[in-house]
């Protein structure tokens, strides 16, 4: 089912219809923004069509057992994790949740630690809310990333650094933090009274044998998990996410801000419907999705080993985003991007988008049918083999 090609052009699709916005040219084959080219699960499509057939789309409530029990059961079945239903709150997006938590838990000028390379929206939401970005660069060695705990300890010890914005699993490097790594981060945060916001939106997309551990399994104080089914089931356009806030006071403040300051007491009926249907009936679909992505990653790895062995594939543990080290290529990233755009007609994200430490990398979205991936890799090869740029 994941091999099915679906024409997304003409749907106001960010990845396909507006590729020119980021790459300066139309009609490129895109492997860019982190959504997939896959059809949503059939149970989700059916639930949406059923709701669409009801002719009234009025104000819609999220705060009920249908939603909360669907989430809690998903965590129990998927991660053997216990989530109290009362901990759950609605949010239109993960970045909106992060924004609210930043403003509730810190003041302008305070420091927010992020582990880089980092999702580019992290930089924007921190700066946009007048907080200072504190860069905790991950350690890159032999195609894998590791925590820099000594530097993190020094940064957390500074009283002005109030928050760690954790990405778990990590985008763009694809790391799944081990239980030992998470416990080490938590111990430092507890010692220095640093609040952890854990973005776990990629939690379901795991390589075979990998295990995601929600941070609330370990602590229920000074922690918030922000996440959504949108990455897993490919419905970010339906505008629905949620947060797990074990602290009742923070939860009340979050909801007050949501409802009173921002006027968001009602949710997207379609986002709610899709999330409930996905979490109730799509376990096997996610297993099949992960198997397909695993094979896509194997395909890319073998292709690059054969055709471009100088490109180092970072060990992938999660997400449908591959992180490719291009530092040994005989061309700069700037020239590589120009060649891909003008010769190969292919759009692949430059790692520089995710910070200085990513400047020699590409982030390749492999959440697509194999035929598209084959085409994209051939275009990459064409870009590297030809030196002249077309007009």
């Amino acid at each position: 089912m994941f091999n099915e090609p679906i024409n997304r052009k003409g749907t106001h699709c960010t990845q396909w219809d507006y590729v020119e916005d980021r790459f300066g040219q139309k009609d490129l084959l895109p492997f860019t923004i982190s959504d997939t080219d896959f059809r949503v699960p059939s149970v989700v499509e059916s639930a949406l069509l059923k709701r669409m057939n009801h002719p009234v789309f009025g104000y819609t409530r999220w705060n009920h057992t249908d939603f909360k029990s669907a989430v809690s059961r998903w965590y129990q079945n998927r991660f053997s994790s216990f989530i109290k239903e009362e901990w759950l709150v609605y949010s239109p997006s993960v970045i909106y949740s992060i924004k609210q938590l930043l403003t509730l838990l810190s003041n302008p000028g305070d420091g927010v630690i992020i582990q880089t390379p980092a999702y580019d929206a992290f930089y924007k939401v921190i700066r946009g809310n007048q907080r200072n970005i504190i860069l905790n660069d991950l350690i890159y060695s032999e195609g894998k990333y590791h925590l820099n705990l000594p530097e993190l300890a020094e940064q957390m010890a500074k009283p002005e650094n109030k928050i760690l914005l954790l990405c778990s699993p990590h985008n763009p490097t694809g790391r799944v933090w081990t239980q030992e790594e998470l416990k080490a981060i938590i111990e430092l945060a507890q010692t220095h009274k640093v609040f952890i916001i854990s973005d776990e939106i990629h939690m379901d997309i795991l390589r075979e044998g990998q295990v995601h551990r929600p941070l609330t399994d370990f602590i229920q104080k000074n922690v918030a998990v922000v996440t959504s089914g949108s990455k897993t089931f490919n419905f970010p356009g339906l505008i629905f996410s949620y947060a797990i806030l074990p602290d009742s006071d923070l939860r009340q403040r979050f909801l007050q801000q949501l409802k009173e300051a921002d006027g968001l007491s009602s949710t997207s009926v379609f986002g709610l419907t899709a999330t409930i249907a996905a979490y109730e009936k799509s376990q096997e679909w996610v297993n099949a999705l992960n198997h397909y992505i695993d094979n896509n990653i194997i395909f890319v790895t073998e292709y690059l080993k054969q055709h471009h062995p100088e490109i180092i594939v970072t060990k992938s543990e999660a997400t449908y985003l591959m992180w490719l080290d291009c530092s040994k290529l005989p061309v700069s990233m700037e020239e590589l991007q120009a060649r891909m755009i003008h010769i190969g007609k292919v759009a692949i994200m430059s790692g520089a988008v995710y910070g200085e430490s990513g400047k020699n990398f590409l982030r390749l979205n492999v959440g697509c049918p194999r035929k598209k991936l084959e085409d994209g890799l051939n275009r990459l090869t064409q870009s590297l083999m030809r030196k002249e740029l077309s007009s």
Side-chain angles (χ1 to χ4, degrees):
M1 55 185 160
F2 300 107
N3 276 324
E4 177 189 7
I6 298 174
N7 184 2
R8 299 178 65 192
K9 290 184 177 180
T11 63
H12 302 108
C13 169
T14 300
Q15 182 166 189
W16 287 84
D17 288 329
Y18 300 100
V19 68
E20 184 181 15
D21 290 353
R22 190 182 289 269
F23 291 86
Q25 188 165 314
K26 297 179 180 179
D27 299 324
L28 304 178
L29 185 67
F31 299 86
T32 54
I33 194 168
S34 56
D35 64 8
T36 73
D37 292 317
F38 302 135
R39 180 187 296 273
V40 298
S42 60
V43 294
V44 171
E45 189 173 6
S46 295
L48 290 171
L49 289 171
K50 180 180 179 180
R51 183 62 185 86
M52 180 68 76
N53 285 330
H54 191 290
V56 179
F57 307 101
Y59 291 116
T60 302
R61 181 164 296 192
W62 63 268
N63 194 0
H64 47 71
T65 299
D66 288 349
F67 162 61
K68 292 184 172 183
S69 63
V71 175
S72 64
R73 284 196 300 269
W74 184 261
Y75 272 76
Q76 185 174 357
N77 294 333
R78 202 80 198 165
F79 311 120
S80 299
S81 181
F82 176 70
I83 300 294
K84 289 186 178 181
E85 292 184 14
E86 66 192 49
W87 293 353
L88 293 166
V89 297
Y90 156 75
S91 168
S93 73
V94 164
I95 293 300
Y96 174 89
S97 296
I98 292 171
K99 180 266 180 188
Q100 293 292 14
L101 291 165
L102 290 181
T103 57
L104 290 170
L105 297 166
S106 65
N107 296 308
D110 285 342
V112 179
I113 303 167
I114 58 174
Q115 290 162 321
T116 52
Y119 175 39
D120 54 315
F122 283 4
Y123 298 94
K124 296 172 185 176
V125 73
I126 295 169
R127 291 194 187 105
N129 287 281
Q130 295 79 51
R131 272 65 177 172
N132 291 327
I133 299 171
I134 309 301
L135 302 178
N136 177 232
D137 286 337
L138 298 173
I139 298 169
Y140 177 65
S141 176
E142 297 182 356
K144 187 172 180 179
Y145 282 84
H146 306 272
L147 296 173
N148 188 342
L149 291 172
E151 182 182 63
L152 183 62
E154 293 177 3
Q155 293 168 331
M156 285 190 174
K158 296 180 179 179
E160 66 272 21
N161 295 336
K162 301 292 177 58
I163 295 171
L164 168 65
L165 179 48
L166 180 71
C167 194
S168 177
H170 190 264
N171 171 21
T173 70
R175 270 304 315 273
V176 174
W177 306 120
T178 65
Q179 181 171 308
E180 292 72 23
E181 287 171 317
L182 291 173
K183 286 183 175 179
I185 291 171
I186 290 167
E187 183 177 353
L188 289 175
Q190 290 178 325
T191 297
H192 299 294
K193 297 181 173 57
V194 171
F195 193 99
I196 305 176
I197 303 171
S198 185
D199 176 354
E200 302 188 7
I201 198 169
H202 292 279
M203 63 191 185
D204 299 309
I205 312 300
L206 303 171
R207 301 291 79 76
E208 185 176 2
Q210 292 294 327
V211 178
H212 170 71
R213 298 166 179 85
L215 209 62
T216 47
D217 280 1
F218 304 101
I219 50 170
Q220 291 83 50
K221 185 178 180 181
N222 290 332
V223 65
V225 168
V226 293
T227 189
S228 171
S230 60
K231 285 285 188 284
T232 304
F233 304 104
N234 201 34
F235 47 63
L238 298 182
I239 315 300
F240 190 94
S241 79
Y242 58 94
I244 303 171
L245 306 179
D247 183 271
S248 59
D249 178 66
L250 177 61
R251 193 163 61 244
Q252 186 274 330
R253 292 167 61 205
F254 184 96
L255 289 174
Q256 185 176 22
Q257 186 74 12
L258 183 90
K259 294 177 182 179
E260 298 179 13
D262 294 344
L264 290 173
S265 57
S266 185
T267 186
S268 158
V269 61
F270 296 113
L272 176 70
T273 299
T275 299
I276 293 172
Y279 279 166
E280 286 185 339
K281 301 176 182 178
S282 296
Q283 283 270 4
E284 292 306 314
W285 186 91
V286 175
N287 294 340
L289 171 69
N290 279 331
H291 181 69
Y292 191 87
I293 293 172
D294 285 352
N295 286 328
N296 270 359
I297 287 174
I298 291 170
F299 173 77
V300 172
T301 301
E302 292 178 348
Y303 180 95
L304 293 177
K305 184 177 181 179
Q306 179 180 353
H307 298 279
H308 307 290
E310 63 275 25
I311 298 178
I312 300 170
V313 177
T314 304
K315 179 178 173 58
S316 175
E317 297 175 345
T319 83
Y320 47 76
L321 306 164
M322 294 187 70
W323 190 238
L324 307 177
D325 181 356
C326 300
S327 59
K328 293 185 178 180
L329 286 175
V331 296
S332 66
M333 181 55 65
E334 182 179 12
E335 183 177 350
L336 177 60
Q337 284 291 332
R339 289 189 185 192
M340 289 192 297
I341 292 167
H342 298 289
I343 297 175
K345 308 295 184 183
V346 61
I348 305 174
M349 297 291 283
S350 166
V353 171
Y354 311 100
E356 178 67 19
S357 61
K359 65 182 180 180
N360 293 318
F361 289 76
L362 291 174
R363 195 191 76 165
L364 176 69
N365 183 341
V366 298
C368 60
R370 178 66 58 80
K371 186 175 181 180
K372 177 191 173 188
L373 197 54
E374 292 173 354
D375 189 4
L377 290 174
N378 287 330
R379 290 169 185 243
L380 173 63
T381 295
Q382 183 183 8
S383 303
L384 287 168
M385 297 299 291
R386 280 179 50 191
K387 296 183 179 180
E388 73 279 5
L389 298 181
S390 61
S391 57

